[in-house]
């Protein structure tokens, strides 16, 4: 991946993650009432599609990150380089759990199970996003400082 | 999947929930296994092991989901009880990924 494409996709990745998490929170809140499962179904599908796109972009960025950014981070902010790995793990958890919750909703089964799965996805996604913000800030400080 | 018969819907949901949970647990076990082998090396690895782990976790999750969807005698019960067994399996796996990045 070229440097300019990496620089262009990084903010897209960050903004899309905020959008995906907001979309994922929606069905988790809606499913407090079982009768809202119909509305939650569509939003959960969109949220899962956003998460899939987000993971796809992340997987595209990852090789460039490991080559260009990680060596510098390991020297300047080792903690950021270490916790970035956690972000990748939790992003994967969020994707598969969101898929599981959405399929459960579309199968018209117990909405509590779907809510738990989507809630776990949201929790993993929120932690991953927090780590992402920290790593981006550490990268910026490392590059400019 | 609208209009899915209840029994079939329960099988699909049970399979999906098992897929999601098993994919997380498989990923965590693979990662912890790699860390246990050589903690210094795993951190310096190229990107390929990460994608390999994801692919294997998806395969493991898919296999577990298909097996449960196919052979579970009471898939609706699997779905009903997912509210406790899914967090019981996913949260320790996620915690391990935070504790051992």
């Amino acid at each position: 991946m070229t440097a300019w494409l990496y620089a262009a996709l990084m903010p897209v990745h960050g903004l899309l993650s905020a959008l995906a998490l907001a979309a994922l929170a929606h069905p988790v809140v809606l499913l407090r009432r079982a009768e809202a499962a119909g509305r939650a179904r569509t939003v959960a599908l969109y949220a899962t599609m956003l998460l899939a796109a987000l993971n796809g972009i992340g997987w595209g960025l990852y090789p460039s990150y490991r080559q260009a950014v990680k060596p510098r981070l390991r020297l300047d902010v080792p903690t950021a380089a270490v916790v970035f790995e956690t972000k990748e793990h939790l992003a994967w958890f969020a994707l598969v759990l969101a898929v599981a919750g959405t399929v459960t909703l579309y199968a018209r089964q117990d909405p509590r199970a779907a809510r738990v799965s989507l809630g776990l996805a949201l929790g993993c996604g929120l932690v991953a996003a927090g780590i992402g913000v920290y790593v981006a800030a550490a990268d910026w400080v490392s590059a400019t400082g | 999947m609208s209009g899915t018969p209840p029994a079939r819907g329960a099988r699909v949901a049970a399979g999906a929930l098992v897929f999601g949970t098993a994919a997380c647990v498989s990923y965590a076990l693979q990662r912890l296994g790699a860390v246990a082998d050589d903690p210094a090396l795993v951190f310096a690895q190229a990107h390929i092991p990460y994608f390999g782990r994801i692919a294997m976790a998806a395969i493991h999750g898919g296999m577990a989901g298909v097996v449960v969807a196919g052979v579970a005698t009471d898939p609706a019960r699997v779905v009903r009880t997912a509210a406790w067994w899914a967090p019981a399996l996913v949260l320790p796996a996620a915690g391990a990924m935070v504790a051992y990045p």
Side-chain angles (χ1 to χ4, degrees):
Chain A
M1 181 178 289
T2 58
W4 71 265
L5 186 57
Y6 181 85
L9 282 177
M10 274 290 287
V12 172
H13 187 58
L15 290 170
L16 206 58
S17 69
L19 194 60
L21 289 174
L24 196 56
H26 198 81
V28 174
V29 173
L30 278 177
L31 286 171
R32 283 181 306 173
R33 293 182 302 113
E35 56 270 28
R39 271 197 302 156
R41 202 173 291 142
T42 311
V43 186
L45 177 64
Y46 290 141
T48 303
M49 287 164 66
L50 273 173
L51 272 180
L54 191 60
N55 271 265
I57 293 174
W59 295 337
L61 291 170
Y62 193 59
S64 299
Y65 161 81
R66 291 201 70 121
Q67 284 175 3
V69 179
K70 190 172 181 181
R72 177 163 44 76
L73 271 186
R74 285 182 71 183
L75 289 176
D76 295 347
V77 197
T79 311
V82 171
V83 294
F84 184 88
E85 302 293 316
T86 298
K87 180 181 98 69
E88 296 302 286
H89 309 327
L90 295 182
W92 166 250
F93 283 24
L95 176 61
V96 291
L97 291 167
V99 169
T102 303
V103 172
T104 303
L105 277 178
Y106 271 86
R108 295 170 196 275
Q109 295 300 306
D110 187 358
R112 280 179 312 158
R115 186 172 186 235
V116 165
S117 192
L118 292 169
L120 287 169
L122 179 63
C124 289
L126 285 171
V127 175
I131 293 173
V133 170
Y134 166 66
V135 172
D139 178 37
W140 186 80
V141 169
S142 165
T144 57
Chain B
M1 272 183 267
S2 60
T4 307
R8 188 173 154 220
R11 289 200 181 278
V12 169
L17 290 165
V18 169
F19 159 77
T21 306
C24 293
V25 172
S26 165
Y27 182 96
L29 290 176
Q30 289 180 69
R31 175 67 181 188
L32 290 174
V35 171
D37 282 347
D38 190 343
L41 181 63
V42 74
F43 186 59
Q45 278 170 335
H47 60 272
I48 293 168
Y50 170 61
F51 293 128
R53 260 196 313 276
I54 283 176
M56 287 310 296
I59 290 169
H60 291 152
M63 285 165 59
V66 166
V67 167
V68 169
V71 305
T73 51
D74 188 359
R77 186 161 175 262
V78 175
V79 176
R80 272 199 315 274
T81 52
W84 67 263
W85 60 255
L89 291 168
V90 169
L91 289 177
M97 293 298 90
V98 173
Y100 304 100

